[in-house]
Every structure is written in C-alpha cells, then in structure tokens.
Amino acid sequence: MKGFTGAMGEGVRRVTIHDVAGKAGVSTAAVSHAFNDPERLRATTVTRILDAARDLGYAPNPHARALHSQRVGVLGVLFPQPIATVFANPFFASFLEGIGSVTDERGIGLLTVTPLGGSLERAIAAAPVDGFVIIGLDERHAEVAPLRKRGVPFVVVDGDAETASSVNVDDEGGAYAAANLLLEHGHRDILVLTFHAPPEELAKDLGVRGRRLRGYRRAFVDHAVALDDDAVVRTFVTLEGGDMAFAKAWAEGARPTAVLAASDIMAIGAMRAAKRLGLRIPEDLEVIGFDDIPLAAASDPALTTIHQPIADKGRVATRLLIRELDEGGPRERIVLPTELLLRESTRAASKKSRTQRVAKGGTEREGKRILKAAAH
Amino acid sequence: MKGFTGAMGEGVRRVTIHDVAGKAGVSTAAVSHAFNDPERLRATTVTRILDAARDLGYAPNPHARALHSQRVGVLGVLFPQPIATVFANPFFASFLEGIGSVTDERGIGLLTVTPLGGSLERAIAAAPVDGFVIIGLDERHAEVAPLRKRGVPFVVVDGDAETASSVNVDDEGGAYAAANLLLEHGHRDILVLTFHAPPEELAKDLGVRGRRLRGYRRAFVDHAVALDDDAVVRTFVTLEGGDMAFAKAWAEGARPTAVLAASDIMAIGAMRAAKRLGLRIPEDLEVIGFDDIPLAAASDPALTTIHQPIADKGRVATRLLIRELDEGGPRERIVLPTELLLRESTRAASKKSRTQRVAKGGTEREGKRILKAAAH
DNA sequence: AACCTTTTATGAAAGGTTTTACCGGAGCGA
DNA sequence: TCGCTCCGGTAAAACCTTTCATAAAAGGTT
C-alpha cells in the first residue's frame, strides 16, 4: 500500500483526550466516561468535561478508537473491477443504493474496495473495515480466501459460498422464463448473448453466467428446440458489446428472429445494431434482456426484461453482514425472486397486465418472506 | 456513533506481529522491518520472517498502522444527503467516477460520508479518513467548520472556500449561454426553473443556484428583456419537481414559449409535463437544461443542455486534496469550463456543428490548462 | 588478542482511546 | 465506633504497529 507519504498540512497537533482531561481537571478515564457512559459520573462533572471538550473542539480519534474496540463502524464493498467502472455501471449504482440505505440508517460508513495495484488481496488486507460485502466474486476465489484466515466476516452476493452467507437471485428461473416466452412465441432461431467470464467459471458454468445459461438451456429442452452452439455468443457487458455481437452474427449470415440477452445493456446494444440494420422491434425481432436497469424502461422500444431486485440484494446482504457482526448470527443462503417484465421489445401475447409474474419468481413480499423463513 | 455492539464472529484472535515474531524467532521490530524496510535486515532473516507471516496468514492491522502513522489511506467524500439518494443520482455517480479514477490509481480507499443520524458533524468526527472532498456544501456551513479545527484537510467542490482549495465550474457563464440562446431565438416568455436552497444561500444568491441564476439574469439584461419574478420558479431537483413546476405554472395561466432549467432532471420533468399538455418540443416549447447527465442524451427529444465536466471536477478535486496531503501544496481555486450542447429540445439555428462552444467556456484541454496555470 | 567499524537486530516509547480493577471517602446500620 | 456498601473517580493495561536509539554480533585491522 502506497498512499500518502508526506507531512500533514499544518502543524496543529490534534487535541486529544488528555487535553480535555487537563482542562477539566480530571483523568482521561473520566473524559471517556463522560462521552460513553455518563451515568457513571456526577452530573456536574459530566457537564464540566463536555464543556471543556466543546471549547477545545475535541473529537475522539477514530483510529485509536478502532484499534481498541476492534470496530471502525465501516463496511467494505468489494468489487472485482476498478472503481471508475463501478460507478459508471447503473447496476452497481442500484446495488450500492441498497447497501447505503442500510448502512445509513445504522450510522455505518461505506468503503468501496477495489483491486489495489491489480491485487484484490492487498486491498483487502489494507482496508480498515469491519466486514465485507463481496459482489460477483466466488468465495473460492484466490484473492478472497485470505479473508477467512483473517477472521473478517463477509457476505457473498451473486456468488456461491460454503463458509459465508450468500445472497443471490433466481437467475436460472428468470432465464428460463425469458427463454420460455420467446419459445412460446414460436421462435426457433434465437440468438443468445452471454458474457465473458474467467476460465474456471466458464468451464463449469459457474456463477451468474452459468446459472442464466442453464435456465435458457432448460427452456430449450422443455420445448424440444435445439440450441446450437453457434447461437450462443459471448461478449462484453456493455452497449457496444451487444451491438457488436449482433452485428457480427448478422454479418456472418445468422438471421435470428429473437435475441435472448443475459444483460439489459447488451440487449440494448443489440437493439441498436438491429435498428441500424433496418429491423423493426418487436415485429422483425423480439428482444429480451436481464436485470431491469433503469435504462431498460427508457430505451426505445422499452425493453422487456427479467427484473431482479438489485437494491434489495444490497440491502439483504448488508443486514445479514451486520447481524453476523453484531450477534454472530447463523450463515444463510438467500435467493431472491426474479420477475418477467413485459414491455415493448416483445410482442404482446395476451391482454393481461403488462407486468406478469414469473412462475418460479414471486413478489417482493415473498422475497422478504424467504429471507425471514431462512432466518430461523 | 452507534455502529455495532456485539462480539466478533468467531473467537479466532487475529494473528498479530507478535505471533509472527515468535514463530520466526525474532523481535516484532524485525518483522516490521521485513515488511517496510527489508534492506535493513539480512536476506535470510527477511525470508524467514516472510515465510512465517505467510504461514500464519498475517496482515498488519490497519487500525494500529493508522493510529501510529496518522494515515489510513482513505479519502472521504462528504455528501449533504442520505447515501441512498446519492447513488440514485447520476450526477453523483459521474462525480464519484472521477474521484474513483484517481484514488484507484493511487491505491487509496474511498469512503462515502453522509449525515449520521441527521448530523453531518458527527459523521465527520467519526470518519476514519485522511481528508475530505466536500460536495455542494459551503465552507462556512456550520457542520463543516469543525473540520478546520480538527486539522483535517479538505477540498470544496461546487462551493466557495476561503481557507481551502475549491473546484467549481463556470456556472454563471454556462447559464448565460443557455439564456442567451433562447433569447436570441426570440423568446420573451421564458420559464426559469431553479432549485431550493438553504435560506442564507437564497438570500445572497450564493452557491451553484445563485451563480446560475446570475448568469440567466445577465443575459436577460444584455438582451434588454425583463425577467419577471413570477417567471422564476423554485422546485425540487427531481424529474417530478420539474414536471410539477411546469404543470403548476401552466395551470396558473403562464404560457411560456421556452424553459430554462437549472438542472437536466428538472428540464426532463418539465418536458414530460409539456408533452402531457400536448405541446410539441421544440416547435411549441424550447427547453434547455444544465449539467449534461447521461439521461439528457437519451431523453426524447434529446435535451439541449450546458455540459459541465462532472467527472473532471471529481478528478481535479481529488488530485488537489492528495497533493495537499502529500506536500502541503498551496490552496487553489479552480474553475472548469462549461459548454453548450445543442440537441433536439431546441430549434437548430444554423447549420454549424451540433456541438458548439460557449464563449466563456473552453475545451477540456483548456480546462486542464487552467488547472496547470493555477498550480503555480 | 585487542580494538574498531559495520551490519544486523532489539527494547522501549509513542500513538489515543477504552475498560477493568481498584481505591478513598461518604453514608448508613448496628 | 466499627464494618459494610455504594458512589465517584483514577491508574494502568490493552489494542498493534512503527521507529528511534542502542545493543549485540560480525567482520576486518593491527
């Protein structure tokens, strides 16, 4: 860890508990008590101390406090990618919003932790936090393992964990519903857009990518439709990635009548490419995404997609972590429901409500029930 | 500060430098040296210590390190509002992206700090950071003043500061350009949407709001057009705020031919209301925003606006702060340029490039030059 | 072998807080 | 008056690391 090396701005030594004790004519212990357990002291003494503290502008040193209590009141959110890309991604924005709503109400700080000089492990070691929410990284990941050893509690989101709590959404069920919709519409030539992943995940269809792909595949099997390997394309989780992937497939002669994208942003990219090629959506091409990012509703046409409760994932994970920190609560595996959201990029099949539930999903309320049920 | 109270997850006492020293048969000082200044030790000793450390899974305690060195390697970003609203706001997302790009490359952590139980002051006191980037808060703000006393360096963004560096954009110039465009298009009945602000700022037209309003007013004066007080409406910086404000003005009989909004999101809200009322944009109503958030380009019609380099503000502020921390660099006042971006919510006036520069603005490169120039 | 100079390693202090154990005194009942 | 409890407060240890001054070891000279 490099960080800063130079000297402090001004030479103003910070006022410490000793200064306050001196001014108030008491011991440092008394000052500490005045702040943390005023009952133990005579009322007059307390006010005398508090007055002195205010005059001096005293505030307890967070580092000293943390060192002693082994608690800083800060939670780390561990991302596998540079922070700039994190904040540029609306998915993470929603996720952080969920986490933030909990930390805020508990008066806890939020530290974003990203690879330090390429190494997540170093970043983890240097982070002054009480626990981690880990997103999109498997517990088995080499960089994460040391956490266990250090005894720092963590919760895994969008990943599997044996030794820690985990929060996931029903990726497979959502993917099944998405593929099922297109197959029911009669499509037989569907382009599947999925994303890049580390080799070990690819090999075993692990992680989010694997689960979604499994859902797609299961629907194809149930409809007795073959899913050609050529029809499954891996690309980047960006608008450009989706655009390129569709354009490339088209250029190579593919003529899909529908697109099944494992992420909204790729779906929107594919729509852009399709429109450029003169295709009408949904008349010539039906498109369905995954995630329901804010842009999905605003895109043209509005994107039919699988909604997943992104902010809720953050909220649930954070509550779990805090409980583990506070009470050493039990490990849990939470799976939140997903939901099919019919918008304009697919043809209306019935005159039912535009928002219909996925068979395997459920309402948000059910999601909370799942959480509660699992809590015992 | 409440935070956690309970016991640590497992009883596994963390491995300390003493454990490593014991295992390697050396003193704790030697272990410290092995990590921080290996040259001082014999090579064989170093490897022996490092091996022991690895076996034990040792990592230096960040809190102890921070306490001793008076440095944690974490920067705080101070927001005047709950964290959930922060991450929900694309403006802040861009801003954080800029900050993050710098902290990341320096291996520094990023802590978001928001009011703790309603009090920013308490949040500030409890935050384990080396310095703050303060956004949208005046240095004179009662909650911020204690920072000075505590000797924690900070940089103010979108606010004025006497005793600290500040980073702002040319709000007034941008606003002038926006108003000027509409006035040149011949509009005489313009609805101005501005936002709520604390009373003291309102009174003196301080802060971002004041500067933008000043720019609008100056243009009106230059065009010898009166700006009626009724035509300046204060509302919330949300889509709903802009929608409501326009609808209300309309309901009260106002029939503006153009809208001058001090923020994109309000402009988009106003467009929504106008479309609902059957107005065509830009034929019946020209609209211009401010900020150039991502949504501005995606809205329908695409919003003409004043671009401000949001991410750059974050980057510049962070570099300034780090320099002050490292070298105690001098205070600076940076003003970054703004830029008029012509899109679809205003009528095309000429066949020139769709992006044209504001007289008082400049390119990004010029922005950097300003920074550099000011650095001496 | 004695002495000097480097090199290598250590002891102890410092950094600021919280907390445990304890102490002196006051009040009270016997 | 003795002995007990309770109150208000304090001393000192503990949290873990880094660093300064210094000691010990190693190596080289005479």
Side-chain angles (χ1 to χ4, degrees), chain A residues 90-207:
Chain A
F91 174 91
F92 287 131
S94 298
F95 182 61
L96 282 167
E97 187 186 333
I99 295 182
S101 68
V102 176
T103 54
D104 236 28
E105 113 196 352
R106 306 292 197 98
I108 299 173
L110 198 53
L111 183 76
T112 51
V113 179
T114 49
L116 203 164
S119 159
L120 251 184
E121 184 174 349
R122 279 200 294 152
I124 291 174
V129 301
D130 297 326
F132 284 103
V133 172
I134 301 180
I135 172 85
L137 231 39
D138 207 276
E139 175 198 40
R140 285 177 292 283
H141 198 290
E143 313 256 43
V144 174
L147 266 187
R148 190 70 309 127
K149 216 166 192 174
R150 270 188 48 199
V152 180
F154 60 91
V155 170
V156 173
V157 176
D158 277 351
D160 297 319
E162 286 294 331
T163 66
S165 293
S166 65
V167 178
N168 284 278
V169 299
D170 181 16
D171 285 301
E172 186 176 337
Y176 182 92
N180 186 57
L181 178 79
L182 295 181
L183 290 163
E184 276 185 349
H185 284 194
H187 294 285
R188 290 300 173 263
D189 209 342
I190 301 176
L191 180 67
V192 176
L193 260 36
T194 178
F195 36 84
H196 293 301
E200 67 272 29
E201 283 192 16
L202 270 186
K204 299 186 174 179
D205 272 357
L206 284 173

Side-chain angles (χ1 to χ4, degrees), chain A residues 4-8 63 67 71-72 82-84 87 97 100 104 108 110-112 114 130 149-151 325-326, chain B residues 4-8 14 55 63 67 71-72 82-84 87 97 100 104 108 110-112 114 130 150-151 325-326:
Chain A
F4 318 109
T5 52
M8 176 142 163
H63 307 318
L67 174 59
R71 274 288 164 82
V72 256
I83 208 164
F87 288 120
E97 187 186 333
D104 236 28
I108 299 173
L110 198 53
L111 183 76
T112 51
T114 49
D130 297 326
K149 216 166 192 174
R150 270 188 48 199
L325 249 22
D326 276 351
Chain B
F4 318 108
T5 52
M8 175 143 164
R14 262 193 67 171
D55 289 354
H63 307 317
L67 175 59
R71 276 286 165 84
V72 254
I83 208 164
F87 287 122
E97 188 186 331
D104 236 29
I108 298 173
L110 197 54
L111 184 75
T112 51
T114 49
D130 298 325
R150 271 187 49 198
L325 249 22
D326 275 351

Side-chain angles (χ1 to χ4, degrees), chain B residues 52-293:
Chain B
R54 191 171 21 71
D55 289 354
L56 263 27
Y58 167 76
N61 182 320
H63 307 317
R65 200 189 249 268
L67 175 59
H68 186 270
S69 67
Q70 306 287 43
R71 276 286 165 84
V72 254
V74 174
L75 254 33
V77 187
L78 202 60
F79 295 97
Q81 41 190 290
I83 208 164
T85 61
V86 167
F87 287 122
N89 187 332
F91 174 91
F92 288 131
S94 298
F95 183 62
L96 282 168
E97 188 186 331
I99 295 182
S101 69
V102 176
T103 54
D104 236 29
E105 117 197 348
R106 307 293 197 97
I108 298 173
L110 197 54
L111 184 75
T112 51
V113 179
T114 49
L116 202 163
S119 160
L120 249 184
E121 185 174 349
R122 280 199 295 152
I124 291 174
V129 302
D130 298 325
F132 283 103
V133 172
I134 300 180
I135 173 86
L137 230 39
D138 208 276
E139 174 198 39
R140 285 176 292 282
H141 198 291
E143 313 256 45
V144 175
L147 265 187
R148 194 61 318 124
K149 215 166 192 174
R150 271 187 49 198
V152 181
F154 60 90
V155 170
V156 173
V157 176
D158 277 351
D160 297 319
E162 286 294 331
T163 66
S165 294
S166 66
V167 178
N168 284 278
V169 299
D170 181 16
D171 285 300
E172 185 176 338
Y176 182 92
N180 185 57
L181 179 78
L182 296 180
L183 290 162
E184 276 187 348
H185 283 195
H187 295 285
R188 290 300 173 262
D189 208 341
I190 301 176
L191 180 69
V192 176
L193 261 35
T194 177
F195 35 84
H196 293 302
E200 66 273 31
E201 283 192 16
L202 270 187
K204 300 187 174 176
D205 272 358
L206 284 173
V208 173
R209 184 189 159 284
R211 289 197 299 268
R212 292 188 185 173
L213 207 47
R214 242 190 334 268
Y216 292 156
R217 289 226 164 86
R218 193 155 55 76
F220 276 79
V221 169
D222 284 3
H223 283 262
V225 174
L227 177 53
D228 201 16
D229 271 358
D230 292 357
V232 179
V233 176
R234 271 204 305 279
T235 184
F236 299 98
V237 190
T238 59
L239 204 143
E240 288 68 31
D243 185 320
M244 277 171 30
F246 187 87
K248 180 153 173 277
W250 189 269
E252 288 170 354
R255 289 297 178 272
T257 60
V259 171
L260 202 46
S263 108
D264 283 350
I265 197 78
M266 296 190 318
I268 292 170
M271 290 204 296
R272 189 172 75 177
K275 284 192 284 187
R276 203 173 48 231
L277 291 164
L279 298 175
R280 289 165 310 159
I281 301 169
E283 293 79 1
D284 303 328
L285 186 78
E286 287 196 273
V287 178
I288 184 166
F290 207 118
D291 285 347
D292 191 26
I293 60 175

Side-chain angles (χ1 to χ4, degrees), chain A residues 33-95:
Chain A
H33 285 137
F35 278 92
N36 303 312
D37 188 8
E39 305 301 309
R40 288 195 45 162
L41 265 39
R42 204 180 325 176
T44 61
T45 317
V46 171
T47 56
R48 187 156 40 94
I49 293 173
L50 260 28
D51 286 352
R54 193 172 17 74
D55 289 353
L56 262 29
Y58 167 76
N61 182 319
H63 307 318
R65 200 191 250 267
L67 174 59
H68 185 271
S69 67
Q70 306 287 45
R71 274 288 164 82
V72 256
V74 173
L75 253 34
V77 187
L78 201 61
F79 294 98
Q81 40 190 288
I83 208 164
T85 60
V86 167
F87 288 120
N89 187 333
F91 174 91
F92 287 131
S94 298
F95 182 61

